[in-house]
Amino acid sequence: MLQPLSILVLHGPNLNLLGQREPGIYGTTSLADVNRLLEAEGLKLQAKVFFIQSNHEGILVDAIHEAVGHHQGILMNAGAYTHTSVALRDAITGTNIPTVEVHLSNIYRREDFRHHSYIAPVVIGQISGFGVQSYVLGLQALVYHLRNQS
Ligand code: CA2
């Protein structure tokens, strides 16, 4: 029998606007829809998913700290903090919770300032550019990693 896993999904700043603004870049799916998709995928993978969205860096840092002992992995779209936040990077390093970074858009096809991620060097891997599917692929990759790490 597979060990049930608990995964924390972190959505960063402005992702609460998903589906309401800039559909050309971010699509028409709402954040609630994304969470429903992840819940359904989690059921298939025998992983329970929990969600936090915040526009505040410190709340996201606290959520990473509080994940210790409660969640085995983190799936994170840090939004614009991806490109600015040493604090989020240090929280991932400090807690050592396996994390997968996801982005709706392909950050490398966009403005130069989006090409650098402070998060990327401290996560298992990054999935970028597949729209909402980036989250689903990210969850699959995270669960695969957690179940197959030595
Ligand atoms: O492509 C992604 O997922 C991003 O993480 C999204 C961030 C952006 O700053 C990153 O460079 C790439 C922006 C999230 C804001 O999402 C919105 C959604 C709808 C309307 C306005 C913003």
Side-chain angles (χ1 to χ4, degrees), residues 6-7 16 23 34 47 61 72 75-76 81 87 101 104 110 123 125 131:
S6 179
I7 304 296
N16 52 309
V34 172
V61 170
Q72 286 77 51
L75 183 69
M76 178 161 75
Y81 289 144
E101 173 184 354
L104 295 153
R110 301 186 62 193
V123 297

Side-chain angles (χ1 to χ4, degrees), residues 5-79:
L5 293 172
S6 179
I7 304 296
L8 178 63
V9 179
L10 286 181
H11 300 291
N14 296 308
L15 285 159
N16 52 309
L17 299 177
L18 208 59
Q20 301 169 36
R21 306 262 194 288
E22 302 197 58
I25 301 176
Y26 299 118
T28 54
T29 307
S30 72
L31 195 63
D33 293 333
V34 172
N35 291 347
R36 275 190 284 272
L37 266 175
L38 289 174
E39 254 166 8
E41 189 62 28
L43 274 179
K44 292 184 204 163
L45 298 167
Q46 295 187 40
K48 179 117 184 72
V49 280
F50 296 85
F51 306 97
I52 294 176
Q53 188 278 327
S54 181
N55 297 322
H56 304 278
E57 190 176 14
I59 289 178
L60 295 166
V61 170
D62 285 344
I64 294 169
H65 292 178
E66 286 159 17
V68 174
H70 298 284
H71 305 288
Q72 286 77 51
I74 296 176
L75 183 69
M76 178 161 75
N77 184 349

